Amino acid sequence: MAGTVTVPSPSVPSTPLLKDELDIVIPTIRNLDFLEMWRPFFQPYHLIIVQDGDPTKTIRVPEGFDYELYNRNDINRILGPKASCISFKDSACRCFGYMVSKKKYVFTIDDDCFVAKDPSGKDINALEQHIKNLLSPSTPFFFNTLYDPYREGADFVRGYPFSLREGAKTAVSHGLWLNIPDYDAPTQMVKPRERNSRYVDAVMTVPKGTLFPMCGMNLAFDRDLIGPAMYFGLMGDGQPIGRYDDMWAGWCMKVICDHLSLGVKTGLPYIWHSKASNPFVNLKKEYKGIFWQEDIIPFFQNATIPKECDTVQKCYLSLAEQVREKLGKIDPYFVKLADAMVTWIEAWDELNPSTAAVENGKAK
Amino acid sequence: MAGTVTVPSPSVPSTPLLKDELDIVIPTIRNLDFLEMWRPFFQPYHLIIVQDGDPTKTIRVPEGFDYELYNRNDINRILGPKASCISFKDSACRCFGYMVSKKKYVFTIDDDCFVAKDPSGKDINALEQHIKNLLSPSTPFFFNTLYDPYREGADFVRGYPFSLREGAKTAVSHGLWLNIPDYDAPTQMVKPRERNSRYVDAVMTVPKGTLFPMCGMNLAFDRDLIGPAMYFGLMGDGQPIGRYDDMWAGWCMKVICDHLSLGVKTGLPYIWHSKASNPFVNLKKEYKGIFWQEDIIPFFQNATIPKECDTVQKCYLSLAEQVREKLGKIDPYFVKLADAMVTWIEAWDELNPSTAAVENGKAK
């Protein structure tokens, strides 16, 4: 591994949650000064930095953080020909970090995201909230009108079936953004000055059967439960599309979570998204996606995974075949993407032989 | 009509929203002193008071309100033998008010609900928020992570299909409660001191295909779009069950809204729910429902309405037949309920001949 540096820090809080069970994955092309603001919350954890773009460039990481860093040369060396499934010049490359992590949980954050404040003015420990979200159950099978029933001061309301109150395991926690909202290029263009200033104090489960737009900016998940479905697709350099990496992962992941009865939460925590990306550049990247998503959404809404698929890998390979068959008709890109989805699973299993073995054992 | 009194008030605000298109329906057994607190918000509107219990009792309504009042004798006189579908000694009787209303919109509220305050300390005009909810579209077909995309300062996020941004017509607006949460008897018993103090500043669409527990305490709907589905069932006197009236309506309504591509919102506005009902009395009422709902929920989750049902009435009659056939096996009560559902539609069409005619015309 390139650039592995471990510096124990004296300022580590006494008992950070899941300290040895969670990696923070950060894709970047620049010096990681943004970590200074996150120091009180992130320093106890191990970072996996995925350096995008020119591998000869040196990325500066503030002192005191424990991290490993991978650039494109590392990715090519580790994955060999399978490196083709990892995007280049697009933040989709972050999923390489999910693959090399050895931890149960992953939190991923963009380097233009800062610590937000709650309405009382207190700094929000986004990571802590994600961990709380992941460690408490979800409620995908029935809607609770008072939001997260497991939260202090809340519960299931009248009319909520008692047999469903145990909930489901939570696979994904999707956090939101204050300041710059995650808009597409057309909306950015129409509303250049819109800022999100509304703090909605809620975490909710995205119901079973419902798709949502998953943003990769502020996202945590349980690698053991859903890791192999968190592939961010083929985007950026050499590809006809960008900015659909997290969406793609979100749609695939949600269909698989629904199949495996796993939960997906959205809402808290907020981060402060500091700056809007260029809407003209974004429009160029999104252009085809804006058309394609009109077919992709119905495709995922109607996708069913065969009953015998009882592992994430099997579910994902089934989806890959459906993508090839049904979306391949829209554009040859989707055939290439389906190939990459298969390669991704092969690479995942290669780097995570124990999981692969367990999964195969389970399947017998 | 019994007890119709119209007193124009000098304190009516200049332009209350939908003043002549909305009725406020209140079921009660006591003097309506609670209206004093609502005066600034409700006085411009027409009230329909459904007096439950002893019809010889006189219900006092504060001066200055424009209202009509129906007691059991009125209901029996107006509906004749069809009055059997209207519950007695249960707030389920409120749906009689929906039937006799001549307005496009209905807001219904319990008489133990008071004006809540938002986090800034300002009185919440619950009715105004419901009207806003009803007059703006819903988004049942895809989930928006920033909640209501039509709200000032919000929009659809990246990855939301453009073809779905027109949304759907909103049929129902379900409001929430600060202070006493709407818990069932077992939860009340386990958490006697739990109060809801969390103000979640959000309105969201309950996604298509997702059921939720609809509470009748603070609820508004578009009568023209969904009125005939808002039947609160057979509860209370002579029935084996209580406190499932609004739940029943919510499940039927949601299945029909999904079939007709109508939207249902939940969240804001909050009201202040002043006092918890007696959990022991509630347990007695809910007892059978707690068992039955374990079968009722899967029944509604799997219910499908034939394509040719293109009016609320037809959808409702189709549901009634399914209730008779499938839930009738659980208990004879559901056969009686299915009969009552049919009677309800007959009574609705009798009292609303123009809608019935339009609906029939549409069906030809």
Side-chain angles (χ1 to χ4, degrees):
Chain A
M1 280 175 215
T4 299
V5 177
T6 305
V7 183
S9 156
S11 66
V12 173
S14 52
T15 50
L17 286 164
L18 301 181
K19 181 190 159 331
D20 299 317
E21 292 171 77
L22 182 141
D23 283 335
I24 300 176
V25 173
I26 303 164
T28 193
I29 51 167
R30 58 192 143 214
N31 293 333
L32 292 176
D33 302 326
F34 92 111
L35 284 172
E36 280 303 346
M37 198 182 185
W38 288 105
R39 190 180 288 277
F41 304 130
F42 290 179
Q43 191 160 299
Y45 296 89
H46 182 68
L47 311 183
I48 297 179
I49 297 161
V50 184
Q51 176 179 348
D52 197 18
D54 180 6
T56 65
K57 200 180 151 184
T58 302
I59 299 283
R60 207 178 63 78
V61 181
E63 268 189 44
F65 284 93
D66 167 38
Y67 70 92
E68 53 195 296
L69 184 150
Y70 300 90
N71 62 30
R72 191 69 209 184
N73 294 337
D74 301 315
I75 295 172
N76 289 341
R77 182 172 41 76
I78 292 166
L79 292 184
K82 294 197 182 74
S84 61
C85 74
I86 304 296
S87 298
F88 186 47
K89 293 194 179 166
D90 191 286
S91 72
C93 67
R94 77 174 82 209
C95 65
F96 178 76
Y98 310 159
M99 198 182 251
V100 294
S101 167
K102 295 282 166 278
K103 307 287 174 59
K104 182 167 163 56
Y105 300 98
V106 161
F107 170 51
T108 184
I109 184 168
D110 280 5
D111 62 6
D112 62 347
C113 292
F114 294 92
V115 177
K117 286 183 188 300
D118 72 16
S120 77
K122 205 182 139 210
D123 280 354
I124 297 167
N125 185 344
L127 180 50
E128 185 184 46
Q129 179 67 50
H130 276 299
I131 291 171
K132 282 183 186 169
N133 292 350
L134 289 171
L135 294 183
S136 71
S138 294
T139 54
F141 312 117
F142 200 72
F143 190 96
N144 195 48
T145 51
L146 285 185
Y147 310 97
D148 181 2
Y150 304 107
R151 186 169 170 178
E152 183 78 24
D155 212 309
F156 293 95
V157 298
R158 181 170 55 92
Y160 203 103
F162 281 85
S163 64
L164 296 178
R165 296 191 185 195
E166 221 179 291
K169 283 182 191 166
T170 303
V172 173
S173 167
H174 177 259
L176 300 175
W177 342 275
L178 290 172
N179 194 37
I180 307 288
D182 186 31
Y183 287 164
D184 48 55
T187 308
Q188 280 185 296
M189 285 170 167
V190 171
K191 294 177 154 183
R193 303 182 70 159
E194 189 147 293
R195 297 292 178 268
N196 186 25
S197 57
R198 197 154 49 93
Y199 182 93
V200 175
D201 186 15
V203 178
M204 48 177 308
T205 298
V206 183
K208 183 175 175 171
T210 297
L211 293 177
F212 78 111
M214 183 180 84
C215 170
M217 231 189 290
N218 170 25
L219 180 71
F221 59 92
D222 183 322
R223 256 185 103 248
D224 288 356
L225 288 179
I226 199 67
M230 288 303 230
Y231 175 46
F232 272 45
L234 289 178
M235 304 281 147
D237 197 49
Q239 308 301 339
I241 186 177
R243 281 170 61 83
Y244 275 88
D245 51 340
D246 42 6
M247 298 298 141
W248 184 260
W251 296 326
C252 293
M253 170 282 287
K254 187 59 169 53
V255 169
I256 293 173
C257 281
D258 285 352
H259 176 77
L260 297 175
S261 290
L262 298 171
V264 175
K265 292 181 183 174
T266 182
L268 302 182
Y270 286 94
I271 51 81
W272 180 265
H273 186 204
S274 65
K275 63 171 199 292
S277 42
N278 184 314
F280 297 95
V281 173
N282 290 348
L283 186 60
K284 205 174 158 187
K285 291 179 181 173
E286 289 172 10
Y287 172 72
K288 282 171 191 267
I290 285 173
F291 288 88
W292 288 344
Q293 74 187 356
E294 298 294 336
D295 293 308
I296 295 173
I297 300 297
F299 164 77
F300 280 109
Q301 282 175 335
N302 296 311
T304 53
I305 294 174
K307 229 178 180 165
E308 58 269 25
C309 295
D310 55 358
T311 67
V312 177
Q313 279 93 332
K314 286 185 205 167
C315 293
Y316 201 76
L317 292 174
S318 161
L319 262 189
E321 285 324 298
Q322 296 179 49
V323 167
R324 185 192 312 281
E325 195 190 314
K326 299 205 174 133
L327 296 181
K329 287 174 196 155
I330 299 173
D331 194 280
Y333 166 72
F334 290 99
V335 176
K336 211 163 75 173
L337 179 53
D339 288 337
M341 290 168 77
V342 175
T343 304
W344 159 264
I345 293 294
E346 290 169 356
W348 182 282
D349 283 348
E350 211 172 282
L351 291 186
N352 297 273
S354 64
T355 340
V358 168
E359 299 291 347
N360 291 338
K362 225 168 136 187
K364 269 169 206 159
Chain B
M1 279 175 217
T4 298
V5 176
T6 305
V7 183
S9 156
S11 68
V12 173
S14 51
T15 50
L17 286 165
L18 301 180
K19 182 190 157 332
D20 298 317
E21 292 170 76
L22 182 141
D23 282 336
I24 300 176
V25 173
I26 302 165
T28 193
I29 51 168
R30 59 192 142 214
N31 293 333
L32 292 176
D33 303 325
F34 92 111
L35 284 173
E36 281 303 347
M37 199 184 184
W38 287 105
R39 191 179 288 278
F41 304 131
F42 290 178
Q43 192 159 299
Y45 296 89
H46 182 68
L47 311 182
I48 297 178
I49 298 161
V50 184
Q51 177 179 349
D52 197 17
D54 182 4
T56 66
K57 199 179 152 185
T58 301
I59 299 282
R60 206 179 62 80
V61 181
E63 269 189 42
F65 284 93
D66 166 39
Y67 70 94
E68 53 195 297
L69 183 151
Y70 300 91
N71 63 30
R72 191 69 208 184
N73 294 337
D74 300 316
I75 295 172
N76 290 341
R77 182 173 42 76
I78 292 166
L79 292 184
K82 294 197 182 76
S84 61
C85 74
I86 304 296
S87 299
F88 186 47
K89 294 195 180 166
D90 191 288
S91 71
C93 68
R94 76 174 83 209
C95 64
F96 178 76
Y98 311 159
M99 198 181 250
V100 294
S101 167
K102 295 284 166 276
K103 306 286 174 61
K104 182 168 164 55
Y105 300 97
V106 161
F107 170 51
T108 184
I109 184 167
D110 280 4
D111 62 6
D112 63 346
C113 293
F114 294 91
V115 178
K117 287 184 188 298
D118 71 17
S120 77
K122 207 182 140 210
D123 279 355
I124 297 168
N125 184 345
L127 180 49
E128 185 183 45
Q129 178 68 49
H130 276 300
I131 291 171
K132 282 183 188 172
N133 293 350
L134 289 171
L135 295 183
S136 70
S138 294
T139 54
F141 312 116
F142 200 74
F143 190 96
N144 195 49
T145 51
L146 285 185
Y147 310 98
D148 181 1
Y150 304 107
R151 185 170 172 178
E152 183 78 23
D155 212 308
F156 294 96
V157 299
R158 181 169 55 92
Y160 203 103
F162 280 85
S163 64
L164 296 177
R165 297 192 185 194
E166 221 179 291
K169 284 181 190 167
T170 303
V172 174
S173 167
H174 177 260
L176 301 174
W177 342 275
L178 290 172
N179 195 37
I180 307 287
D182 186 30
Y183 288 163
D184 48 56
T187 309
Q188 279 185 296
M189 286 169 165
V190 172
K191 294 178 155 183
R193 304 182 70 157
E194 189 148 295
R195 298 293 178 267
N196 186 24
S197 57
R198 197 153 50 92
Y199 182 94
V200 175
D201 186 14
V203 178
M204 48 177 307
T205 298
V206 184
K208 183 174 176 173
T210 297
L211 293 177
F212 77 111
M214 184 180 83
C215 170
M217 232 190 286
N218 170 26
L219 181 71
F221 59 92
D222 183 323
R223 255 184 106 251
D224 289 355
L225 288 179
I226 200 67
M230 288 303 230
Y231 176 46
F232 272 44
L234 289 179
M235 305 281 147
D237 198 49
Q239 308 302 340
I241 185 176
R243 282 171 61 82
Y244 275 88
D245 52 339
D246 41 5
M247 297 299 141
W248 185 259
W251 297 325
C252 294
M253 169 284 286
K254 187 58 169 53
V255 169
I256 293 173
C257 281
D258 285 350
H259 176 77
L260 297 174
S261 291
L262 298 171
V264 176
K265 292 181 184 176
T266 182
L268 303 182
Y270 286 94
I271 51 79
W272 180 265
H273 186 205
S274 65
K275 63 170 198 291
S277 43
N278 185 313
F280 298 96
V281 173
N282 290 347
L283 185 61
K284 205 173 158 187
K285 292 180 182 174
E286 290 172 10
Y287 172 72
K288 283 173 191 265
I290 285 172
F291 288 88
W292 288 344
Q293 73 187 357
E294 299 294 337
D295 292 309
I296 295 174
I297 300 297
F299 164 77
F300 280 111
Q301 282 174 334
N302 296 311
T304 52
I305 295 174
K307 229 177 181 167
E308 57 271 26
C309 296
D310 54 358
T311 68
V312 177
Q313 279 92 331
K314 287 185 203 167
C315 292
Y316 201 76
L317 292 173
S318 161
L319 262 189
E321 285 324 297
Q322 296 180 49
V323 166
R324 184 192 313 279
E325 195 189 313
K326 301 207 172 132
L327 296 181
K329 288 174 195 156
I330 299 173
D331 193 279
Y333 165 72
F334 290 99
V335 176
K336 212 164 74 172
L337 180 54
D339 287 339
M341 290 168 76
V342 174
T343 304
W344 159 264
I345 293 293
E346 290 169 357
W348 182 282
D349 283 348
E350 211 173 282
L351 291 187
N352 297 274
S354 63
T355 340
V358 167
E359 299 292 348
N360 291 337
K362 225 168 135 189
K364 269 171 205 159

